[in-house]
Amino acid sequence: MKKVGILGGTFDPPHLGHLIIANEVLHHLALDEIHFMPNQEPPHKNRVSGTTAEDRVRMLELSISGNSQFLVEKIELERNGRSYTIDTMKILQETNPDYDYYFIIGADMVEYLPNWHKVDELVKLIQFVGVNRPGYKLETNYPITQMEVPQIDISSTLLREKLQQGISTKYLLPDKVISYIKEQHLYGY
């Protein structure tokens, strides 16, 4: 079985915190690959940044270029409406029966697990990997593999605000992503 980590999110924009989490989980759990999976419409929040799915995919591709173990999984962007992890994972498991999936979530989502759509069924399909995040606890009654990663308090929301205010995001975003944001005039930049 191929061991594949899934890191889902809006990636609006993808930042160094995402890459650190992916790299730490990849090596700590000896996974074969990490698939970054941007969502179309996450059930728990509404996107308002104005970026397109194509922009987010391109920024992800730029972020992970040069790492053959990091890939972009577009399945949720190819479906319409709200994305539920249970539906996505069923499709991925049918498509890739030789993959063993590890679904990576931050401690904020670990706390939110009781609210996930069909979570009791989902925990039987995949292994959750919960990573620490400032201000949240890795406590749940659901079976998760807990992992400590270097604490980096960066969020896409914070970065969007910085960009809108013309404040530097150097060392918070990959340089190629900063260039793309400038070229495409994203986030009011």
Side-chain angles (χ1 to χ4, degrees):
M1 295 288 277
K2 189 174 196 175
K3 294 169 66 176
V4 175
I6 298 281
L7 182 58
T10 53
F11 302 110
D12 197 12
H15 54 72
L16 294 182
H18 296 127
L19 299 174
I20 290 168
I21 289 168
N23 192 61
E24 291 290 314
V25 172
L26 177 81
H27 294 290
H28 183 78
L29 298 180
L31 303 183
D32 296 300
E33 296 173 344
I34 299 286
H35 295 190
F36 292 78
M37 186 172 65
N39 1 49
Q40 183 72 272
E41 291 182 50
H44 61 283
K45 62 181 172 181
N46 293 317
R47 284 192 342 94
V48 293
S49 71
T51 56
T52 65
E54 292 78 18
D55 287 326
R56 293 184 296 126
V57 167
R58 186 64 189 132
M59 287 187 286
L60 266 176
E61 290 169 344
L62 291 167
S63 296
I64 65 175
S65 64
N67 188 331
S68 62
Q69 291 178 290
F70 287 179
L71 303 165
V72 177
E73 171 56 67
K74 301 177 194 174
I75 186 172
E76 290 202 345
L77 297 177
E78 295 164 354
R79 294 174 28 219
N80 292 324
R82 297 236 179 242
S83 298
Y84 291 102
T85 304
I86 185 76
D87 300 329
T88 301
M89 294 315 301
K90 283 181 177 179
I91 294 167
L92 285 175
Q93 287 183 331
E94 287 171 14
T95 307
N96 306 297
D98 55 337
Y99 285 16
D100 203 6
Y101 285 106
Y102 295 75
F103 201 89
I104 306 160
I105 57 175
D108 55 329
M109 286 293 104
V110 169
E111 289 183 7
Y112 194 75
L113 274 177
N115 301 307
W116 282 39
H117 183 67
K118 298 185 179 179
V119 68
D120 293 323
E121 185 180 346
L122 183 59
V123 296
K124 295 174 185 170
L125 292 178
I126 58 172
Q127 175 61 54
F128 275 107
V129 178
V131 298
N132 54 306
R133 189 165 180 191
Y136 298 93
K137 295 179 181 173
L138 279 172
E139 295 176 6
T140 183
N141 292 326
Y142 292 98
I144 65 167
T145 299
Q146 294 186 14
M147 220 189 107
E148 293 289 321
V149 297
Q151 291 287 308
I152 196 152
D153 196 7
I154 305 173
S155 71
S156 295
T157 301
L158 170 74
L159 294 171
R160 287 192 304 272
E161 289 170 2
K162 283 181 171 286
L163 289 163
Q164 289 167 346
Q165 295 169 18
I167 299 171
S168 173
T169 55
K170 182 97 172 135
Y171 308 115
L172 300 173
L173 290 170
D175 289 340
K176 291 179 182 178
V177 172
I178 293 171
S179 295
Y180 182 83
I181 289 169
K182 287 179 183 177
E183 290 166 10
Q184 300 300 313
H185 307 289
L186 302 178
Y187 313 111
Y189 196 75

